[in-house]
Amino acid sequence: MSSPTIDQPSADENVMHESLYRAIATAKNTLDLAENLKQGRTVAGHELSMAPRQAQELSSFLAAFGGRLNKIAQEPDPSLGHIKEVIAFEYEVDRAYRFVDQAFLSPRSLGREQRALGVADWFCVEGFRLLVDDRHDGPVGPIVAIEASRSPAVWSEDSSLPIPSLLTPSPQVFSRRRQGDESSKKLGRFPLIFFPGNLVRSPADFCLLSHEVGHAADTAQNYTKAILLDVGREAPNFSFWRVWMREIVADAVGVLLSGEGYLLSFISFTRYLGLRERADSRSSYPGYTLRLHIMLKMLENLEAPHLEVLQSLVATIEDKESRYPELLESFNNDVWPKIETHIFATVCMSDWIASQEGIWQFGEYLRSNRDRDTGIGDLWRNTSSDNPPLRHLSSALAVVRHLDPERKDLYECFLRIYEAVYNDNRPGWMEDAAGWSFLEEDVPNLRPTILSEGGVKVPPEELLIDHDHIVFVAATNGQLKERLESAFEKRGRKPWAQLEFFFASDTLLKMTIREDMSCDQMRKERDDAKQAILGFIEQQSACVRAIAKEFDGPPTFGAYYDWEQPGGRIHISAQLSGIDIRHCPSTDYVWTGTEPTPTYRKLMESLETLRA
């Protein structure tokens, strides 16, 4: 007797069911994370530096995506076309989950970054509140997200994510607001501001957040529209003002909120980025040097007290566009009076000027008293009749950096003043951060960077000994040959399986800062190192496969150690303006679980982009 026939699912049916199960799991993870944010449950004991009103925005954002996926994934008797829709949307929901994880939650659970991001939120909301009245049904103000390899940028309620910025003209996007989806109507209207991760420990660069606050306030108050109406289409050069006005308005708010420190911080951050100079009415940004002169003109019109210093600084940056004088005159005659009326009328200008005097005097004091901690909080309080606004502290540190470029302890100085003056005087909207937590598995597995005895970042010998596949991404790799030689002997002369060396190109070296070397000297060190390293490998048969290339940037350096498997390690360090690359902040990511964290995956993808 033959066995009964049992119908087996086809391969296509198996794939369909697996896709649905995966989508349901993604929806559940997303909804669970949304609920943790909404309820403020302590899942793993991590405190999240985020105000409840802001956490509610992220919770609603995740719930809108996760709820819709959960609904369509459980549709009875799905067709093949429906399955394809589920797969496509599951990818989008996963990106939404990873965005909240990587940009908001992970950085806000980690020591100093946690505190710095809470301060950045305070900085932005404080400035936003100066320009936009608080409404219970509206945003309390912007919330700051960490985004790698971007300049600061703002994401408004109707924008896609992420938006273009100075460094990323055409990023991938997905929509924050899903048209036709009922849950999308519950999303709040919180402006989101991206801040490059390498600037989190650079409090002098918090001044740059003022520009993004300007975009958020512009969206709420329609400054651009009102100013353009007042300027009028018949005004000279209106074609330029029409496309540039949003950026000019944001720079005006930057000057209003951060004063002279905004211009100092802007120049420090952008000077070596090679930004476009042409005056082009098809671009939303004025040419770089014109933009600096427009900011300077605003400060001149406001009678800022340290104009000679600022004028000398701007004068060191070469004008490359013949139309700038005409456009600057047109701005001063036709545009500035309207900006002054709509934006600067919100503050008492005599108080604004006095605050700039106090900020600069404090900066002078810090320059002259590097090692003095006692009374620094009281001294900062005395720069104003009341406690100075938190945003002024960033401006003061921008002044210190300008006056004392060699100073390396600005972050520590910032923390001391914050603890003395602001920590026990947080505004009511922040409420208590305790209870806002997230899942333990979402925390990146971070390790401190291994430093030399002198505190300088060099390839650690113990990692060179233990790992077989290594990639070095460095400006010159100047110290590497001696390290490899020593590690090779301690490995028992066992060859590495593969070593890849990326050396900074001539263009990138111009953006790289070494206190002990000029650009020409770095170029020579790079060329000598390349020859020495490859010569050592060939003579000693130290590596099965070696690859050497140059790369043009961005100025982010690091090393990858057996990074494609558990136990792998990725070291990342980015060049900060004005700081020796050997002393710039750095982080090491370690693959400790069965799967790498989303941040670790992103770093793996960055390497593939570099290799391409």
Side-chain angles (χ1 to χ4, degrees):
M1 179 183 292
S2 61
S3 299
T5 302
I6 300 176
D7 291 334
Q8 297 291 334
S10 67
D12 286 345
E13 288 175 323
N14 281 332
V15 171
M16 290 169 62
H17 287 299
E18 288 173 7
S19 299
L20 288 174
Y21 293 147
R22 186 171 62 248
I24 291 170
T26 298
K28 181 180 184 304
N29 290 339
T30 305
L31 291 171
D32 285 349
L33 185 56
E35 188 62 24
N36 282 318
L37 279 167
K38 182 179 178 181
Q39 299 298 329
R41 280 202 303 260
T42 301
V43 177
H46 297 291
E47 182 178 290
L48 192 63
S49 60
M50 182 183 298
R53 279 172 68 177
Q54 295 170 318
Q56 179 63 44
E57 159 74 350
L58 296 180
S59 175
S60 299
F61 172 67
L62 288 173
F65 275 82
R68 182 168 183 266
L69 177 62
N70 192 52
K71 179 179 179 180
I72 65 174
Q74 301 197 50
E75 186 80 16
D77 302 321
S79 64
L80 180 59
H82 182 80
I83 294 291
K84 290 181 178 178
E85 180 187 358
V86 171
I87 292 172
F89 189 57
E90 192 257 344
Y91 173 70
E92 191 171 352
V93 173
D94 185 62
R95 292 178 68 197
Y97 181 99
R98 290 174 186 273
F99 159 61
V100 173
D101 164 42
Q102 295 173 19
F104 292 97
L105 302 189
S106 294
R108 289 168 181 275
S109 70
L110 302 168
R112 288 186 169 187
E113 283 77 6
Q114 179 187 39
R115 178 177 297 177
L117 284 170
V119 171
D121 287 341
W122 181 350
F123 181 107
C124 292
V125 172
E126 180 184 84
F128 189 77
R129 288 272 71 84
L130 187 68
L131 298 164
V132 181
D133 292 335
D134 191 9
R135 301 190 306 273
H136 182 70
D137 62 342
V140 66
I143 180 172
V144 178
I146 293 299
E147 185 67 7
S149 300
R150 287 197 177 88
S151 61
V154 69
W155 177 45
S156 64
E157 80 174 285
D158 295 317
S159 296
S160 293
L161 169 75
I163 70 163
S165 69
L166 288 176
L167 305 182
T168 309
S170 301
Q172 291 183 316
V173 299
F174 65 86
S175 176
R176 180 183 184 185
R177 184 183 296 280
R178 296 195 58 80
Q179 299 298 332
D181 179 17
E182 185 66 25
S183 60
S184 71
K185 298 177 182 177
K186 300 175 184 177
L187 293 185
R189 300 185 295 278
F190 287 68
L192 306 178
I193 291 176
F194 289 124
F195 202 47
N198 64 322
L199 297 185
V200 172
R201 290 197 182 190
S202 180
D205 288 311
F206 278 25
C207 295
L208 300 173
L209 291 168
S210 294
H211 174 93
E212 309 310 331
V213 172
H215 282 306
D218 190 8
T219 298
Q221 304 288 65
N222 287 316
Y223 288 133
T224 291
K225 181 178 180 180
I227 290 169
L228 286 173
L229 284 173
D230 285 356
V231 170
R233 292 181 175 275
E234 295 76 24
N237 300 300
F238 184 80
S239 61
F240 289 102
W241 308 132
R242 181 176 58 82
V243 295
W244 293 347
M245 191 56 69
R246 288 196 182 280
E247 294 303 320
I248 291 174
V249 163
D251 283 336
V253 173
V255 168
L256 174 72
L257 298 181
S258 294
E260 296 167 327
Y262 175 64
L263 182 58
L264 294 174
S265 187
F266 185 88
I267 291 175
S268 174
F269 178 68
T270 60
R271 184 165 198 162
Y272 302 106
L273 294 181
L275 301 182
R276 183 187 54 78
E277 281 286 3
R278 248 183 98 214
D280 188 345
S281 62
R282 293 168 298 179
S283 170
S284 59
Y285 294 90
Y288 173 58
T289 313
L290 176 61
R291 192 170 171 188
L292 295 179
H293 280 285
I294 287 175
M295 291 182 216
L296 181 61
K297 181 58 68 176
M298 293 178 188
L299 290 162
E300 290 172 349
N301 290 335
L302 294 170
E303 299 181 356
H306 303 95
L307 287 174
E308 288 188 10
V309 176
L310 301 175
Q311 288 163 345
S312 298
L313 184 61
V314 172
T316 65
I317 301 173
E318 180 185 1
D319 273 340
K320 298 180 180 178
E321 173 62 62
S322 60
R323 294 202 62 182
Y324 281 0
E326 171 201 342
L327 289 168
L328 190 60
E329 182 180 2
S330 176
F331 166 80
N332 199 46
N333 294 334
D334 304 315
V335 178
W336 166 251
K338 314 307 188 288
I339 289 177
E340 186 177 29
T341 298
H342 286 277
I343 296 176
F344 288 88
T346 60
V347 299
C348 173
M349 291 317 301
S350 61
D351 290 345
W352 183 90
I353 292 171
S355 71
Q356 300 308 300
E357 290 280 16
I359 286 167
W360 205 279
Q361 289 171 8
F362 186 74
E364 291 274 13
Y365 174 84
L366 289 184
R367 180 182 66 166
S368 304
N369 297 271
R370 279 191 173 198
D371 302 322
R372 180 176 175 183
D373 291 344
T374 306
I376 194 171
D378 290 336
L379 185 69
W380 175 242
R381 287 190 187 94
N382 291 336
T383 63
S384 174
S385 55
D386 301 312
N387 275 352
L390 181 66
R391 63 184 184 274
H392 287 181
L393 179 54
S394 180
S395 300
L397 295 177
V399 171
V400 177
R401 182 172 63 185
H402 171 72
L403 296 173
D404 188 2
E406 303 302 314
R407 185 155 185 165
K408 301 296 188 297
D409 67 338
L410 290 184
Y411 188 78
E412 288 69 23
C413 183
F414 159 76
L415 289 179
R416 291 198 300 271
I417 299 171
Y418 177 81
E419 289 290 342
V421 179
Y422 297 100
N423 193 45
D424 295 328
N425 294 285
R426 294 189 299 173
W429 64 266
M430 295 184 77
E431 302 177 34
D432 185 5
W436 297 103
S437 60
F438 54 97
L439 302 178
E440 187 173 22
E441 59 263 32
D442 293 325
V443 181
N445 297 284
L446 299 186
R447 299 290 184 275
T449 297
I450 301 172
L451 302 176
S452 69
E453 292 182 1
V456 175
K457 291 172 289 187
V458 295
E461 194 171 87
E462 54 265 48
L463 298 183
L464 300 179
I465 295 170
D466 293 340
H467 295 278
D468 287 320
H469 295 78
I470 310 176
V471 178
F472 304 95
V473 184
T476 68
N477 284 305
Q479 304 175 70
L480 187 53
K481 188 231 179 187
E482 291 75 15
R483 292 269 164 173
L484 290 172
E485 286 178 327
S486 177
F488 186 56
E489 294 299 325
K490 293 177 181 178
R491 284 169 60 92
R493 300 182 66 82
K494 174 190 173 184
W496 285 278
Q498 181 166 310
L499 299 177
E500 294 180 60
F501 307 93
F502 287 88
F503 299 84
S505 67
D506 290 352
T507 300
L508 183 54
L509 285 179
K510 293 178 181 178
M511 303 168 61
T512 305
I513 296 172
R514 283 276 297 272
E515 296 172 348
D516 59 339
M517 285 190 182
S518 66
C519 184
D520 288 340
Q521 289 171 322
M522 283 192 286
R523 189 181 301 115
K524 184 179 186 304
E525 182 179 84
R526 176 201 63 194
D527 295 342
D528 291 346
K530 187 187 303 183
Q531 182 178 358
I533 290 168
L534 296 180
F536 157 71
I537 290 172
E538 181 178 0
Q539 293 165 15
Q540 302 295 327
S541 300
C543 180
V544 176
R545 185 166 184 250
I547 301 169
K549 298 180 179 179
E550 291 189 5
F551 71 110
D552 290 327
T556 300
F557 306 107
Y560 292 69
Y561 303 92
D562 287 327
W563 65 98
E564 294 182 312
Q565 61 191 29
R569 187 181 188 114
I570 301 176
H571 163 78
I572 294 296
S573 177
Q575 172 71 70
L576 299 184
S577 297
I579 299 179
D580 189 318
I581 184 59
R582 297 171 300 171
H583 303 292
C584 286
S586 60
T587 302
D588 284 25
Y589 296 79
V590 178
W591 182 345
T592 59
T594 56
E595 295 292 331
T597 63
T599 303
Y600 192 99
R601 286 187 187 277
K602 177 177 279 191
L603 295 173
M604 293 172 68
E605 293 167 3
S606 297
L607 176 59
E608 293 308 311
T609 301
L610 187 65
R611 285 168 153 178

